[in-house]
Amino acid sequence: MADPRGDIPELDTIVALRLRQVGQRLTPRRRSLLQILRSAIRPLTIHEILDRGSELAMSSAYRNLTVLEHAGVVNRVITKEDFGRYELAEELTEHHHHLVCSSCGLVRDLLPDVDAERLLNVAMRRAIEQGFAPATHRLDIVGLCADCAAREPA
Amino acid sequence: MADPRGDIPELDTIVALRLRQVGQRLTPRRRSLLQILRSAIRPLTIHEILDRGSELAMSSAYRNLTVLEHAGVVNRVITKEDFGRYELAEELTEHHHHLVCSSCGLVRDLLPDVDAERLLNVAMRRAIEQGFAPATHRLDIVGLCADCAAREPA
DNA sequence: GACGATAATGGGAGTGGTTCTCATCGTCAA
DNA sequence: TTGACGATGAGAACCACTCCCATTATCGTC
């Protein structure tokens, strides 16, 4: 029922707290960046962000996204494309995976199911055995989106 | 017993075939690139490749890695670092996942286990339900490597 | 083995995403 | 109001990567 990207009343409060913990403030620019990311249904590129954000300098966008990422409220998503995409951190939305189209570069969110996540813990445990301290994971399903699959019969 | 990165007698044969299928040849440069990747225990950056490959121009390295990737024998790995890493395609080694250190950027291979793969099949099936045609997947376990964990008590 | 067509190579210039610099502006406390 | 300090924005700088093109190697054919 509740859309995970919908209203999170205390989002500002949470974000302000996180920022304060790393010695940063919640400025108007940062608030509008979060607003833009919150209303998106997929990770956005810098240009998509600038298009939606009025009066936002590119340098400020990059700088603030980095600050927000460091504060743990924004996540930089990496794909096969040669530029980054940004989304709200999972803790502020929901843990999810990505569908990545290898043809057109489209990235779409995919909510995982409970059973799948449980299985993943096994992989985490094996990481620990190797001296690694796992914090989270990234799962991308790579293939062709519906549009590209229709276009490429191969 | 058998090290997955060890000798694969017909590697050249397989690679030559794959290249021919996309209208390319197995040249000395490409052979040496494969040799370098084969002897590595983790995905290599361009600079690591150039350091190990004598007399290899950067433009040729990039061009040939792209050709090899297109032929399906090399895989470009993306991390949080702002440059790519290359490894032999899974079909020539073994399907595996990556441990990615969020602090120092280290990438290490992790052989998957049956349960983890089962999870992925679940995720793939759900991708199909959404009109997506999955071809492969990427699973990264993100956290702190042993060295960074020791350095950062947090 | 020589020749010609075609592809591969390598150096350097070009491209574009991202970061850095710094002068200016805004914010907050006193 | 003032002063200190952080945030902002415009553009320069940076760097991974790609493109261009003259040179060189490869392969089939005579």
Side-chain angles (χ1 to χ4, degrees), chain A residues 79-114:
Chain A
T79 71
K80 280 217 181 280
E81 302 166 314
D82 51 4
F83 43 83
R85 289 179 175 273
Y86 295 86
E87 66 182 3
L88 275 195
E90 287 183 341
E91 294 170 78
L92 303 180
T93 56
E94 266 186 62
H95 171 61
H96 60 277
H97 299 147
H98 290 134
L99 294 179
V100 181
C101 178
S102 55
S103 178
C104 70
L106 176 91
V107 180
R108 208 169 67 190
D109 292 350
L110 175 68
L111 294 180
D113 60 48
V114 182

Side-chain angles (χ1 to χ4, degrees), chain A residues 52-133:
Chain A
R52 299 171 195 209
S54 51
E55 311 295 320
L56 187 53
M58 183 178 286
S59 57
S60 295
Y62 274 116
R63 187 181 339 97
N64 285 323
L65 285 168
T66 303
V67 168
L68 291 169
E69 186 186 18
H70 189 243
V73 295
V74 157
N75 187 26
R76 185 173 195 272
V77 179
I78 48 187
T79 71
K80 280 217 181 280
E81 302 166 314
D82 51 4
F83 43 83
R85 289 179 175 273
Y86 295 86
E87 66 182 3
L88 275 195
E90 287 183 341
E91 294 170 78
L92 303 180
T93 56
E94 266 186 62
H95 171 61
H96 60 277
H97 299 147
H98 290 134
L99 294 179
V100 181
C101 178
S102 55
S103 178
C104 70
L106 176 91
V107 180
R108 208 169 67 190
D109 292 350
L110 175 68
L111 294 180
D113 60 48
V114 182
D115 288 344
E117 289 304 304
R118 204 171 299 136
L119 288 172
L120 196 51
N121 290 333
V122 178
M124 298 267 210
R125 220 173 298 131
R126 297 189 50 248
I128 294 173
E129 289 166 13
Q130 301 194 22
F132 200 85

